[in-house]
Amino acid sequence: MVSSNEARAASRARLAGFGFTLPAVAWILLFFGAPLVIMAVMSLLPLTADGSPPQLSFKAYSDFFSQPAYVEAIWNSVVTTVITVFVSLLLAYPFAYVLAYKVPKRWQRFALACAILPFWTSYVVRSYAWLLVLAPTGIVNWLLINLGLIERPITFAYNPNATVLGFVHFFIMLNALTIYANLVQINPRYVLAAQDLGASAWKSFLAVTLPLSVPGMTVGAFLTVVLCIGDFITPQILGGNKELLLPQVIMMQIQRQLDLPMASVMSLVLTVIVAAVYLLIQKPMRSARL
């Protein structure tokens, strides 16, 4: 009798737990799972020349990987993302380190607020602001010409370097916040123990602080990959149309050619790339949650 009551109580507890998680599961299925399924089905229904109903096939996939321009767009997206991640981490770490260990605790929140405040501006506005700085008629060229250093404007904008600059400007703060959140959780006794054992400040940083801050860097890097590799606005405004990234090609397929199957294939390729990156770095990210 007691065991049956315990079984019913355990069953009610499981049902209650399922009821609490059901809204989250439904949300994920509706706004993440369903779009993926729709894109997967759409990618198997390529457009036909005569307008007849399409048959299920992998023609869109073969057309995508057989086009050098599309493969180059993938390569450009990956290279731009890798450079952005590396430079952002390289610049964000010193800022996060100074904020976590050199700024007094009573001023850290104020310093964080001052650092985040400029990023309340719209992402599009910031991209156009960089265009005003880097354009042939922008501030940099105007200053160089008036100083007599150059005679003709230099093309700083409308190239991959301008795209990377716009990305780095945005993602530095994102990486700095994740690294800072990790650094402030490191027990300072670990560094003191290393120094008591004879390690210098630099060696204790390399042996203790840096390895323990890897989870924060990994989380920031993954967020940068997710947001950067699928971004369309910054490459379109700053990068021009010379070396296209895959999101730009996707928008062209939708807006100019109305080729939804090909756009679906490209979107799924981006999804696979992000999933592969997650699988590669999931262990450091899991340690960050611990």
Side-chain angles (χ1 to χ4, degrees):
M1 184 67 178
V2 176
S3 59
S4 63
N5 291 335
E6 293 177 351
R8 284 195 295 269
S11 178
R12 287 195 295 270
R14 286 193 296 269
L15 289 175
F18 178 76
F20 286 123
T21 58
L22 183 60
V25 174
W27 181 274
I28 293 174
L29 291 177
L30 181 62
F31 294 103
F32 182 76
L36 284 179
V37 173
I38 293 173
M39 284 195 303
V41 174
M42 183 67 69
S43 67
L44 299 175
L45 299 173
L47 297 178
T48 56
D50 56 358
S52 59
Q55 302 293 327
L56 291 176
S57 71
F58 290 95
K59 182 178 182 303
Y61 289 90
S62 62
D63 292 343
F64 173 74
F65 288 104
S66 63
Q67 291 289 336
Y70 296 159
V71 177
E72 183 181 358
I74 298 177
W75 176 251
N76 291 339
S77 297
V78 172
V79 170
T80 300
T81 302
V82 171
I83 295 175
T84 300
V85 170
F86 178 77
V87 177
S88 298
L89 288 175
L90 191 64
L91 297 177
Y93 198 98
F95 174 77
Y97 185 88
V98 170
L99 190 61
Y101 295 128
K102 303 302 180 181
V103 177
K105 289 188 178 297
R106 65 179 181 273
W107 293 106
Q108 286 185 6
R109 291 185 179 180
F110 177 76
L112 280 173
C114 292
I116 297 174
L117 188 61
F119 289 83
W120 289 5
T121 309
S122 171
Y123 188 53
V124 178
V125 173
R126 288 200 302 272
S127 297
Y128 276 110
W130 274 113
L131 186 60
L132 293 175
V133 174
L134 302 175
T137 57
I139 298 173
V140 174
N141 277 299
W142 177 84
L143 182 61
L144 293 177
I145 291 175
N146 281 273
L147 291 176
L149 299 177
I150 60 175
E151 296 181 357
R152 296 181 179 179
I154 300 175
T155 305
F156 294 110
Y158 312 119
N159 57 56
N161 295 329
T163 300
V164 171
L165 179 61
F167 278 144
V168 169
H169 173 242
F170 177 76
F171 292 114
I172 280 179
M173 187 50 56
L174 177 65
N175 285 275
L177 291 177
T178 58
I179 296 171
Y180 167 80
N182 195 171
L183 289 174
V184 294
Q185 296 179 18
I186 297 176
N187 194 330
R189 293 188 179 90
Y190 297 158
V191 177
L192 293 177
Q195 293 177 352
D196 287 342
L197 294 174
S200 63
W202 177 246
K203 287 185 177 179
S204 62
F205 168 77
L206 293 177
V208 179
T209 306
L210 183 61
L212 292 179
S213 61
V214 168
M217 291 189 290
T218 305
V219 172
F222 180 70
L223 292 176
T224 302
V225 170
V226 172
L227 297 174
C228 180
I229 201 169
D231 189 275
F232 163 75
I233 297 175
T234 299
Q236 191 67 17
I237 296 175
L238 296 176
N241 294 318
K242 294 182 180 179
E243 296 185 17
L244 296 177
L245 304 186
L246 195 55
Q248 292 175 279
V249 182
I250 293 174
M251 294 302 299
M252 290 182 178
Q253 296 296 322
I254 297 174
Q255 295 178 346
R256 299 182 183 180
Q257 302 183 19
L258 296 178
D259 193 346
L260 296 182
M262 183 59 71
S264 299
V265 171
M266 296 177 180
S267 301
L268 289 174
V269 169
L270 282 180
T271 304
V272 170
I273 293 175
V274 173
V277 173
Y278 175 77
L279 292 177
L280 288 174
I281 63 176
Q282 63 174 334
K283 185 175 180 180
M285 290 181 64
R286 189 181 301 115
S287 64
R289 292 193 295 268
L290 299 176

